[in-house]
Amino acid sequence: MNKADLIVGLQWGDEGKGKIVDHMAQNVDVVCRFAGGHNAGHTIVVDGTTYALHLIPSGVLNPNAINIIGNGVVVSPENLINKELKQFSNLQGKLFISDKAHLLFPFHALIDQAKEKMRKKAIGTTGKGIGPAYADKVLRVGHRVGELKNSEKLTSKIISYFETNKEFFDVMGVEIPKEEELLKDIRWYKENLESYITDTTQLVWKLLKEDKKVLLEGAQGTMLDIDHGTYPYVTSSNTVSSSSCSGMGLNQKDIGFVTGIAKAYCTRVGNGPFPSEDFGADGDKMADVGREFGTTTGRKRRCGWFDAVAAKYACRLNGVDQVALMKMDVLDGFEKIKVCIGYEFEGEVIDYVPYDLEDVKPVYKEFKGWDKVEGVREFDDLPSEAKEYIKALEELINTKIGIISTSPDREDTIVR
Ligand code: GDP
Ligand code: IMO
Ligand code: MG
């Protein structure tokens, strides 16, 4: 039986996972999303055409790959039907959605946004309703995608949930949908999605048994993991590689080769600690050249230097076999490039990620910059300073850098 390979973000998301999944998807049969929701945003450029994906796995751009949205995902039917599915003509037989995945409704987004306004210091969520949808799941008042099959029953369950939680909705200032409208929406979700809904656990087991090549596509990044990230400034799901097991119905023995994705520098959207953030001209230049604006919310991403402490931690947490170092070209022309190699924490320098990153100060090592790597496709053609930077990072994070990306395009990818 085949094992499923996996890709996972090593930083605060937006590392360029979409490009690598798309690149790898050319040689796989199945791509699966196992956690998160449409908070994820992957931009993929193929032959100059740009695609924006949120819930649908990035394997959708390979005409031969099957794409699975697993049980660990929270699914917004609204977003899926109105935004994402519209980019493609027909995904019958190419897309499958777990009947055990949880439904994310428009009222979840309204609660998310209302809660953000009430917080003294906002988390800076995407406002898509991810936290409230996962909270409902954990509180055991959520609803699974499979329940769409019986629209009337699902509607009446949601209406009775509204009735028992009326005060909560009042405090939040969130208007409860009317029964007829809700039923109409749910019927519309059913009509559009029913043909994709299935038991994806059985499906992925069958595909692995048939020795199909399966790729598990992580969303977000390790530092946004609800347990291992910079809590509370994190997302509401586990983003690390092990969550692919619970989120797909696999076990740890099913997982094969793990590729961790990291930018050659670092970015973060939303609030929360980011020790190697650069507030000066260098950070601005990274944002400009790297076009660091979110795919999901359009927000400007905060930029800074590669954080080798966080990346080493992420490699160990995820069992990373190789790193894909992305957006190397964005650092073209920088005279000096800094890397965070330690944190000053409670009077000493540490090389691990403590429970709170709020008050740590970065300790940097400087590297000589290079002229240009943009578009380079062979390792040997990289400038010597770029090769030295890559080798130094490998030592700092204790992991091989097997892939280097030198532009958004699928083809501009060095495989060592
Ligand atoms: P994801 O969420 O991890 O899939 O990443 P996003 O798609 O949100 O953000 C990564 C952005 O970087 C996208 O706009 C990609 O087109 C772009 N990108 C990926 N790799 C490279 C690269 O090597 N160089 C440059 N300049 N852009 C890249
Ligand atoms: P991809 O898959 C970057 C961030 C939000 C916010 C925090 C919580 O594209 O890498 P949420 O809406 O999840 O409750 O927001 O998590 N966040 C991401 N940041 N990339 C993502 O996904 C993200 N998904 C969530 O900005 O700080
Ligand atoms: Mg993204």
Side-chain angles (χ1 to χ4, degrees), residues 51 56 60-61 84-92 94 196:
Y51 297 87
I56 299 179
V60 72
L61 301 174
E84 272 187 272
L85 285 171
K86 285 200 170 148
Q87 296 182 91
F88 306 96
S89 53
N90 182 10
L91 294 183
Q92 281 317 312
K94 269 201 77 180
Y196 302 114

Side-chain angles (χ1 to χ4, degrees), residues 38-166:
H38 65 303
N39 49 349
H42 308 311
T43 306
I44 299 162
V45 185
V46 184
D47 298 332
T49 306
T50 303
Y51 297 87
L53 298 173
H54 299 280
L55 266 179
I56 299 179
S58 309
V60 72
L61 301 174
N62 169 359
N64 304 315
I66 286 176
N67 295 274
I68 303 180
I69 296 176
N71 60 277
V73 174
V74 286
V75 175
S76 158
E78 192 102 5
N79 191 78
L80 192 55
I81 301 165
N82 270 340
K83 300 247 167 77
E84 272 187 272
L85 285 171
K86 285 200 170 148
Q87 296 182 91
F88 306 96
S89 53
N90 182 10
L91 294 183
Q92 281 317 312
K94 269 201 77 180
L95 177 68
F96 297 92
I97 306 171
S98 168
D99 51 10
K100 292 181 186 141
H102 272 249
L103 287 165
L104 188 157
F105 292 100
F107 66 82
H108 287 125
L110 297 176
I111 296 170
D112 190 3
Q113 291 154 22
K115 287 204 164 187
E116 280 284 269
K117 281 201 198 111
M118 285 173 169
R119 286 189 181 103
K120 262 205 185 113
K121 193 164 180 220
I123 289 169
T125 71
T126 58
K128 304 287 177 193
I130 307 298
Y134 275 114
D136 277 358
K137 171 178 172 177
V138 175
L139 287 170
R140 294 156 294 182
V141 295
H143 297 285
R144 287 167 151 184
V145 167
E147 293 179 59
L148 286 177
K149 291 184 183 180
N150 190 337
S151 310
E152 289 72 21
K153 193 170 163 197
L154 175 59
T155 305
S156 83
K157 280 207 251 174
I158 298 174
I159 293 295
S160 88
Y161 158 81
F162 287 150
E163 280 159 5
T164 42
N165 291 280
K166 194 177 171 313

Side-chain angles (χ1 to χ4, degrees), residues 84-244:
E84 272 187 272
L85 285 171
K86 285 200 170 148
Q87 296 182 91
F88 306 96
S89 53
N90 182 10
L91 294 183
Q92 281 317 312
K94 269 201 77 180
L95 177 68
F96 297 92
I97 306 171
S98 168
D99 51 10
K100 292 181 186 141
H102 272 249
L103 287 165
L104 188 157
F105 292 100
F107 66 82
H108 287 125
L110 297 176
I111 296 170
D112 190 3
Q113 291 154 22
K115 287 204 164 187
E116 280 284 269
K117 281 201 198 111
M118 285 173 169
R119 286 189 181 103
K120 262 205 185 113
K121 193 164 180 220
I123 289 169
T125 71
T126 58
K128 304 287 177 193
I130 307 298
Y134 275 114
D136 277 358
K137 171 178 172 177
V138 175
L139 287 170
R140 294 156 294 182
V141 295
H143 297 285
R144 287 167 151 184
V145 167
E147 293 179 59
L148 286 177
K149 291 184 183 180
N150 190 337
S151 310
E152 289 72 21
K153 193 170 163 197
L154 175 59
T155 305
S156 83
K157 280 207 251 174
I158 298 174
I159 293 295
S160 88
Y161 158 81
F162 287 150
E163 280 159 5
T164 42
N165 291 280
K166 194 177 171 313
E167 285 85 6
F168 170 79
F169 282 92
D170 286 347
V171 172
M172 289 287 146
V174 170
E175 207 181 314
I176 292 174
K178 297 204 173 49
E179 186 160 356
E180 321 77 81
E181 284 164 19
L182 185 64
L183 180 61
K184 199 169 137 230
D185 286 346
I186 287 175
R187 282 186 174 145
W188 177 68
Y189 300 161
K190 178 183 167 179
E191 201 178 299
N192 283 277
L193 298 181
E194 195 174 21
S195 57
Y196 302 114
I197 301 170
T198 191
D199 184 331
T200 57
T201 306
Q202 297 299 325
L203 177 62
V204 77
W205 289 355
K206 177 175 158 281
L207 292 165
L208 284 171
K209 203 170 168 194
E210 289 169 357
D211 280 336
K212 294 279 192 281
K213 279 193 168 176
V214 176
L215 183 63
L216 304 166
E217 171 184 11
Q220 287 80 49
T222 301
M223 300 306 284
L224 290 170
D225 182 277
I226 183 86
D227 283 289
H228 303 287
T230 48
Y231 191 89
Y233 299 97
V234 291
T235 190
S236 295
S237 60
N238 283 109
T239 60
V240 292
S241 57
S242 53
S243 87
S244 65

